[in-house]
Amino acid sequence: MTNYAATICKDADVQASPSGRRPSPDDLLVLLAVGGSGRYVTAAEELGINHTTISRRIAALEQSIGGRVLATFAGG
């Protein structure tokens, strides 16, 4: 997954966040997968990783940008 994300994101002009950390290309790829599918489990299956890894990567992304990236709703 790392090589794939780096290939897609290598030309992205991503600025450093207030925390001084750039978002990881892998974390951005996970966000894209979750946004597209709407579910952590489905995104994990699409990317071939565990759903707990999805959760950790979303948390890391939120930490790096200093805010929430997904809105959650009751019922999934």
Side-chain angles (χ1 to χ4, degrees):
M1 184 173 83
T2 301
N3 292 336
Y4 182 67
T7 301
I8 291 173
C9 299
K10 72 178 179 180
D11 296 323
D13 184 21
V14 178
Q15 300 298 318
S17 69
S19 69
R21 230 180 99 205
R22 288 182 141 216
S24 159
D26 288 336
D27 295 345
L28 295 171
L29 183 63
V30 165
L31 177 62
L32 183 63
V34 172
S37 69
R39 299 190 57 188
Y40 281 21
V41 172
T42 305
E45 290 171 358
E46 290 172 357
L47 296 174
I49 58 178
N50 192 290
H51 71 278
T52 57
T53 302
I54 296 285
S55 180
R56 284 195 316 271
R57 290 204 177 267
I58 293 295
L61 180 59
E62 290 176 339
Q63 179 70 31
S64 74
I65 66 167
R68 304 281 304 179
V69 296
L70 295 170
T72 57
F73 299 96

